[in-house]
Amino acid sequence: MLKKLPKDNMGTSNLGWLQSRFHFSFAEYRNPNNINFGVLRVLNDDIVHPQSGFDMHPHSNIEIISYIVNGEITHKDSMGNAETLKRGEIQYLSAGDGIYHSEHNLHKSDDLRLLQIWIIPPKTGLPRLYGSKKFEENERKNRLLNIVSSQNGNADIKIYQDVNIYVSELEINKSLEFEIKENRQIYFVQIEGSSKINDVILEDGDAMEIVDEKKLIINPISNSHILFIEMPKK
């Protein structure tokens, strides 16, 4: 089953310094029928304007992945980590019993766009994790790059939950296929450009829930930037 989720049907927010599109119920977008998809609790497509950002705030018992689409994010946290990341780079944390962090766009003129992904951990009270990875563009160009996996997986970034996150930047006529294992499901995001996923067309900002399918066939219609999260079927 392929369930297309047009971006125009998603929740939105504009705080002046921050513009957000909410894939799931979050902040002022309250939708009791759209709380999560399996272990995926939050996926926010955020644009943070220059010289602004999220000041220091707490998280606990959630795993957070920030995927930078454009611009620069500067992160600081209560564990002493501080760094700036750019397009295609990843910052992640597993908050465990509690962590404080801030995220800012310190650039003087350029917007920051990021996907903020929250994953429900397999249990509470797990040890805190923090890290980042500076991927090169050629690692995701016309191929699937596994950017996040479980502790037993193959990705450089490992979190506790049993998920895999893949990204790709595809040129026209460069199709990809992905085999979906039994009892697994996928949440798919068309970040930039447009693609045909099996027989469904997704435009910039659209998403799709994929359940009870055996294969993904990804055909870019234009130059296409995608991300999808593969997880247990629940």
Side-chain angles (χ1 to χ4, degrees):
M1 182 187 74
L2 306 175
K3 181 181 178 182
K4 180 177 177 178
L5 306 168
K7 67 179 179 182
D8 291 341
N9 293 345
M10 297 177 186
T12 59
S13 172
N14 189 342
L15 301 180
W17 63 274
L18 171 67
Q19 295 173 258
S20 299
R21 182 180 298 119
F22 304 126
H23 288 237
F24 302 98
S25 186
F26 189 87
E28 62 266 42
Y29 169 56
R30 303 294 176 89
N31 185 343
N33 299 315
N34 186 30
I35 300 296
N36 65 295
F37 178 73
V39 297
L40 175 60
R41 172 59 189 89
V42 168
L43 201 155
N44 296 344
D45 192 333
D46 290 333
I47 295 175
V48 183
H49 295 308
Q51 299 287 292
S52 65
F54 304 93
D55 292 331
M56 199 68 73
H57 59 281
H59 291 287
S60 62
N61 295 309
I62 199 74
E63 304 197 272
I64 300 176
I65 296 97
S66 297
Y67 180 72
I68 316 310
V69 179
N70 284 310
E72 301 178 356
I73 188 172
T74 297
H75 166 95
K76 293 183 179 180
D77 65 44
S78 55
M79 297 170 66
N81 300 297
E83 61 182 330
T84 298
L85 300 169
K86 300 180 181 180
R87 180 178 173 90
E89 299 176 346
I90 315 293
Q91 177 253 322
Y92 71 98
L93 63 86
S94 188
D97 59 1
I99 187 172
Y100 283 78
H101 77 147
S102 65
E103 297 168 301
H104 288 94
N105 175 12
L106 300 180
H107 201 277
K108 293 182 178 179
S109 58
D110 293 345
D111 284 342
L112 160 68
R113 182 184 175 195
L114 73 149
L115 299 185
Q116 185 181 167
I117 300 165
W118 292 18
I119 304 291
I120 301 167
K123 60 182 181 180
T124 60
L126 291 166
R128 290 174 293 172
L129 299 174
Y130 173 82
S132 63
K133 179 69 178 178
K134 297 185 176 183
F135 292 104
E136 299 296 330
E137 183 179 352
N138 61 10
E139 294 181 80
R140 61 183 181 274
K141 195 76 170 181
N142 296 321
R143 61 187 289 264
L144 283 176
L145 174 63
N146 187 191
I147 58 173
V148 175
S149 71
S150 68
Q151 295 292 309
N152 296 323
N154 297 318
D156 289 340
I157 296 173
K158 293 178 169 62
I159 63 174
Y160 291 113
Q161 185 54 266
D162 179 17
V163 300
N164 285 286
I165 302 179
Y166 295 88
V167 297
S168 183
E169 290 192 50
L170 289 168
E171 298 172 311
I172 299 174
N173 300 322
K174 298 289 186 179
S175 64
L176 290 174
E177 293 188 6
F178 181 82
E179 300 289 336
I180 305 173
K181 295 181 180 179
E182 189 174 359
N183 295 319
R184 306 290 286 185
Q185 62 186 18
I186 285 174
Y187 193 84
F188 191 102
V189 182
Q190 184 71 43
I191 304 173
E192 297 172 304
S194 58
S195 300
K196 180 181 283 188
I197 312 303
N198 294 2
D199 293 322
V200 178
I201 293 175
L202 298 183
E203 304 290 347
D204 175 12
D206 292 342
M208 186 157 58
E209 296 177 358
I210 302 167
V211 181
D212 294 329
E213 297 285 332
K214 294 182 178 180
K215 182 185 288 188
L216 284 187
I217 302 173
I218 305 165
N219 286 298
I221 297 171
S222 64
N223 287 344
S224 179
H225 189 184
I226 63 160
L227 176 147
F228 64 86
I229 306 161
E230 185 262 357
M231 69 190 83
K233 181 182 174 183
K234 291 187 178 181

